[in-house]
Amino acid sequence: MELCTSSVSGSVQWSRISAFDYRTRSHGYASSSSWVSQRRRKTSFYVMNAASTGALPPTKKLIPRANVRNISGDKPSSALEQLDIERGVCIPFRKYTPEMVRNRVLGSRGSVLSLASRGVEIIWKLGLYWSALMYDFLVGRDEEIVPFRARQLRNLLCDLGPSFIKAGQVLANRPDIIREDYMNELCILQDDVPPFPNQVAFSIIEEELGQPLERLFSRISSRTIAAASLGQVYRATLRETGEDVAIKVQRPGIEPIIYRDLFLFRTLASFLNGISLQKLGCNAELIVDEFGEKLLEELDYTLEATNIEDFLENFKDDPTVKIPQVYKQYSGSRVLVMEWIDGIRCTDPQAIKEAGIDVEGFLTVGVSAALRQLLEFGLFHGDPHPGNIFAMRDGRIAYVDFGNVAVLSQQNKQILIDAVVHAVNEDYAEMANDFTRLGFLASGTDVSPIVPALEAIWQNSAGKGLADFNFRSVTGKFNQLVYNYPIRIPERFSLVIRSLLTQEGICFTLQPDFKFLEVAYPYVAKRLLTDPNPALRERLIQVLFKDGLFQWKRLENLIVLAKENVSKMSSNPALKKNSSQIERNRQMEKKLDLTDTIKDGARLFLIDAGIRRQLIMAFTEDSKLHVEELVDVYRLVEDQIDIPSVALEVIQDLPSVARDFMLSWSDSILSDRQY
């Protein structure tokens, strides 16, 4: 939801309120910081043992949708349990369960009559639309009239209310369910929703906060700043402090409508399970449960306030990212008051340039912030459309609207990194298995038919190089794959895809020749080389070895890219303008810190016989010593490493290494004696 832009704020009409009636330290991939958000959420979910997903049922053939007969295995005890397994989390306290929705709806007075009338309304309106589609197909004009039918569908969803508007927003990011031309039209629903009357909104604020509006705010805008499917936003000034704030107000009477529609959605889904299993490889109830879970989370503004606090904690040491403060004392379950962000909309390149903002530096900050959310924190903004991202005049990037955020478990993040490693190593069979582990394919599915398609997509896209690579072209090809095979895109990954596509689109709007991957690759390279987490160390080794041979050139490329990331971030204009914050929080990196990597490499060489054998072979491949390659690598890092301090740390670590070496040696002796 759009909270502010300079152009909007300049035209807002203010109303004086008088007497009218009317809530650890960052260490990368597996860091304590990456679980800050989950620290607050520890009553909501726990990380599952990865072994819980290890056992797979007998394999099932993956065949094109047109020929699918039955690809289902043993039905899980519930769709929600299947979602938990895919996510790698267990959620003991849910805001949504099918049973809770059913009990809430059927327990209300007049529920049968309300459900019947609403059901008739939905069936009648959707039936008329479906009949029009069938007529188009029979007369052979179904393709030429698609733009009109897509607009008709968007208007129909608006007419059916907030549940259907949210469903349309979800469908706008689900190529596994709806075709691309319809997706593009439904994207309009993210911004273009009619507001509800001011007097109703002001009454909700007073009811929720328990005080007259004029006692809390000295002024409030007479028009909404933004309106979305679940609520709308006003600009106001706190009477007590004089601070400008954004007030987000939930639409009136929306909760019972949402519950009623979810009950009807899931009832309908139970009749569509067979078709859904054929088309998507999962039952329709699972899709409704994913949708219902996120929708009820967005209805609770206290949860959104917690999301904001989590983002503030994650980015507290990053002077390039602005997250608004939340005022919990003025907020509740239907009202959220947060700091007003006076920024420039990201789709207005002229205004950004006129403000003196370095466009390339701003985009570099934005890409890095997005990748940190995804790969470091595991908590990312699920709706980063242009109305929710702003350029601050000091070069920082600002995010607003945290109702739709998604969490990636440690297990999911590791599998994503695995997929990247398998893509780099061109191991497409394992990449296909990664899709199964992430929930795109039903467990036990035979992935062999999808391997050639994945290979064709990746080689066609990666072969063009960084200059021509873009996520939209890859996603377009992947959408065709999704449409032809029983692949379902899990809701959290549809948000990941939308997030990457949207932010790449913003980059192209501001700077058409901006190369998204030229920023993303150096970031990933730096994490692979410097992250202390053992999981990433293992994946670094996988990247550096291919078919048993050490890839010297790949190591050199990683170092060059990682140095580029450090250089770009340390020289970013946003850092210079926020130098006081840097001094307060932490000194930004000026060099590529490889100290931990060197220490871990030395440790692995001494205690891991397999790694030691591989490295010795790397130095002696093709019956020659690879001294020249080693010298080339050293020249790349010599200006980045303080040799005396690294040597001192390695020496200090020797007792621990010696202990581990002895334990490893004794284990190998005992193991040999057993045989």
Side-chain angles (χ1 to χ4, degrees):
M1 181 187 294
E2 178 184 343
L3 289 190
C4 59
T5 65
S6 291
S7 58
V8 171
S9 61
S11 62
V12 168
Q13 298 178 8
W14 292 93
S15 298
R16 288 281 174 183
I17 296 179
S18 52
F20 54 77
D21 294 326
Y22 312 100
R23 156 179 127 126
T24 51
R25 183 164 73 100
S26 173
H27 254 326
Y29 182 72
S31 65
S32 58
S33 172
S34 68
W35 295 101
V36 163
S37 356
Q38 296 174 24
R39 171 178 54 77
R40 289 195 181 94
R41 298 163 192 270
K42 62 185 178 182
T43 57
S44 300
F45 71 83
Y46 303 109
V47 178
M48 293 177 67
N49 190 324
S52 65
T53 61
L56 296 177
T59 60
K60 299 181 284 289
K61 288 291 182 182
L62 176 66
I63 53 181
R65 287 180 172 169
N67 300 321
V68 170
R69 292 293 178 267
N70 182 11
I71 62 170
S72 63
D74 295 334
K75 184 179 179 181
S77 57
S78 76
L80 288 175
E81 287 180 13
Q82 182 177 336
L83 288 176
D84 289 348
I85 292 172
E86 289 174 4
R87 295 168 177 164
V89 300
C90 176
I91 305 177
F93 306 107
R94 295 184 181 276
K95 297 192 73 64
Y96 167 90
T97 64
E99 295 76 17
M100 181 189 70
V101 171
R102 182 176 61 248
N103 293 338
R104 175 116 177 215
V105 172
L106 297 181
S108 60
R109 180 177 299 179
S111 59
V112 175
L113 182 59
S114 174
L115 285 170
S117 61
R118 178 62 167 169
V120 168
E121 178 191 9
I122 293 171
I123 292 172
W124 174 253
K125 291 182 177 179
L126 291 180
L128 286 176
Y129 181 75
W130 182 261
S131 300
L133 293 178
M134 290 298 99
Y135 175 77
D136 294 339
F137 176 75
L138 292 174
V139 300
R141 64 172 190 175
D142 49 318
E143 289 297 328
E144 63 189 65
I145 204 171
V146 161
F148 172 75
R149 293 300 182 205
R151 287 194 300 274
Q152 193 177 33
L153 176 60
R154 174 171 58 84
N155 293 331
L156 173 61
L157 295 178
C158 284
D159 187 46
L160 285 171
S163 304
F164 284 84
I165 293 173
K166 289 302 296 184
Q169 292 173 349
V170 171
L171 288 174
N173 303 286
R174 295 299 296 264
D176 52 334
I177 299 176
I178 194 168
R179 51 187 284 174
E180 189 171 3
D181 33 24
Y182 279 83
M183 286 169 53
N184 294 334
E185 182 67 30
L186 294 180
C187 283
I188 298 174
L189 291 172
Q190 293 173 348
D191 283 317
D192 189 13
V193 179
F196 57 93
N198 285 347
Q199 293 290 27
V200 176
F202 297 158
S203 296
I204 291 173
I205 296 173
E206 289 193 331
E207 181 182 336
E208 190 71 19
L209 302 185
Q211 296 187 58
L213 207 59
E214 63 271 18
R215 184 176 298 175
L216 300 173
F217 307 102
S218 58
R219 59 179 181 176
I220 190 168
S221 55
S222 60
R223 291 189 301 170
T224 57
I225 303 303
S229 55
L230 302 183
Q232 59 195 38
V233 175
Y234 296 88
R235 182 175 182 176
T237 302
L238 293 176
R239 182 172 293 280
E240 185 177 353
T241 64
E243 295 171 284
D244 284 346
V245 294
I247 308 175
K248 187 175 179 180
V249 189
Q250 193 173 103
R251 287 185 177 271
I254 194 174
E255 194 171 271
I257 296 172
I258 295 292
Y259 274 94
R260 182 189 61 192
D261 287 349
L262 285 176
F263 177 80
L264 291 171
F265 288 166
R266 206 171 194 281
T267 302
L268 176 62
S270 64
F271 294 102
L272 299 176
N273 280 335
I275 297 173
S276 179
L277 283 167
Q278 288 184 338
K279 299 292 185 182
L280 303 175
C282 69
N283 61 45
E285 291 172 333
L286 183 143
I287 296 173
V288 172
D289 288 343
E290 279 187 311
F291 172 68
E293 203 170 35
K294 290 301 295 182
L295 186 53
L296 292 188
E297 285 179 4
E298 285 192 63
L299 274 182
D300 187 353
Y301 285 1
T302 58
L303 181 57
E304 182 172 350
T306 301
N307 292 338
I308 296 174
E309 290 180 331
D310 290 340
F311 272 79
L312 281 166
E313 179 69 21
N314 286 343
F315 285 106
K316 66 181 180 181
D317 291 332
D318 192 333
T320 67
V321 178
K322 172 64 179 176
I323 307 295
Q325 296 288 334
V326 62
Y327 298 86
K328 280 195 167 182
Q329 68 272 30
Y330 298 110
S331 302
S333 60
R334 296 183 297 161
V335 174
L336 181 66
V337 177
M338 67 206 96
E339 178 185 359
W340 178 261
I341 298 295
D342 188 15
I344 304 170
R345 190 171 180 143
C346 284
T347 51
D348 190 352
Q350 188 60 36
I352 289 177
K353 291 175 183 176
E354 289 175 358
I357 298 171
D358 180 87
V359 175
E360 186 169 353
F362 170 72
L363 295 179
T364 300
V365 163
V367 173
S368 297
L371 292 172
R372 289 193 73 194
Q373 292 173 49
L374 182 61
L375 297 177
E376 185 174 340
F377 306 132
L379 178 73
F380 65 95
H381 198 298
D383 192 20
H385 65 77
N388 288 339
I389 300 180
F390 296 90
M392 305 296 286
R393 286 168 176 77
D394 56 9
R396 289 179 295 170
I397 186 170
Y399 293 90
V400 298
D401 191 6
F402 297 87
N404 188 0
V405 303
V407 175
L408 288 182
S409 69
Q410 190 77 341
Q411 175 182 309
N412 278 178
K413 289 192 294 181
Q414 288 177 355
I415 298 172
L416 277 178
I417 294 293
D418 284 342
V420 172
V421 171
H422 293 146
V424 170
N425 288 341
E426 299 180 351
D427 190 347
Y428 302 107
E430 282 303 318
M431 192 192 299
N433 286 327
D434 293 333
F435 276 80
T436 302
R437 295 163 66 201
L438 291 171
F440 286 77
L441 296 165
S443 296
T445 299
D446 177 17
V447 299
S448 56
I450 203 177
V451 172
L454 280 176
E455 182 176 358
I457 291 173
W458 181 255
Q459 289 190 344
N460 180 265
S461 301
K464 298 177 180 178
L466 293 183
D468 298 312
F469 185 98
N470 67 78
F471 285 110
R472 187 162 297 280
S473 65
V474 174
T475 304
K477 296 182 179 70
F478 184 69
N479 290 352
Q480 297 172 12
L481 181 68
V482 165
Y483 201 76
N484 291 327
Y485 291 91
I487 297 174
R488 158 186 156 261
I489 300 180
E491 185 265 350
R492 63 197 180 285
F493 289 114
S494 73
L495 294 179
V496 171
I497 293 170
R498 178 172 71 175
S499 176
L500 291 173
L501 286 176
T502 303
Q503 294 185 73
E504 184 185 60
I506 292 172
C507 291
F508 290 158
T509 299
L510 295 178
Q511 189 170 311
D513 60 346
F514 184 79
K515 305 299 184 289
F516 191 91
L517 282 191
E518 286 186 358
V519 177
Y521 265 22
Y523 172 84
V524 174
K526 175 176 170 288
R527 288 188 62 75
L528 278 172
L529 286 172
T530 62
D531 198 296
N533 181 259
L536 272 190
R537 286 282 189 266
E538 180 182 338
R539 283 149 184 83
L540 173 61
I541 292 169
Q542 292 176 28
V543 168
L544 294 179
F545 283 92
K546 183 181 179 183
D547 300 327
L549 300 178
F550 190 82
Q551 305 297 303
W552 290 99
K553 193 64 180 175
R554 191 172 286 174
L555 175 59
E556 291 178 24
N557 290 339
L558 282 174
I559 294 172
V560 170
L561 289 169
K563 288 172 65 176
E564 182 183 332
N565 175 266
V566 173
S567 175
K568 279 187 176 181
M569 292 306 296
S570 62
S571 62
N572 197 288
L575 297 178
K576 297 175 182 177
K577 292 184 179 180
N578 293 281
S579 56
S580 60
Q581 184 174 343
I582 298 171
E583 292 171 4
R584 273 200 316 271
N585 294 328
R586 63 182 173 91
Q587 186 66 29
M588 293 297 292
E589 294 174 298
K590 300 292 184 182
K591 292 184 178 181
L592 180 64
D593 186 2
L594 294 172
T595 304
D596 288 338
T597 308
I598 294 171
K599 286 170 55 181
D600 286 358
R603 175 187 292 272
L604 280 174
F605 183 83
L606 288 173
I607 67 177
D608 191 313
I611 295 295
R612 186 163 60 248
R613 189 181 304 111
Q614 283 183 303
L615 289 174
I616 291 173
M617 290 179 64
F619 290 118
T620 58
E621 283 170 5
D622 302 324
S623 301
K624 69 173 183 178
L625 288 174
H626 290 260
V627 178
E628 185 178 343
E629 289 87 342
L630 188 60
V631 170
D632 289 341
V633 170
Y634 174 74
R635 284 174 178 166
L636 284 173
V637 300
E638 64 177 335
D639 62 333
Q640 307 289 312
I641 300 175
D642 183 355
I643 299 295
S645 63
V646 171
L648 180 61
E649 291 202 32
V650 170
I651 292 171
Q652 290 174 342
D653 204 35
L654 278 178
S656 173
V657 173
R659 182 196 62 197
D660 291 343
F661 174 77
M662 294 300 296
L663 288 172
S664 174
W665 177 75
S666 61
D667 284 345
S668 64
I669 295 296
L670 292 173
S671 176
D672 290 341
R673 288 188 174 182
Q674 288 178 358
Y675 294 99

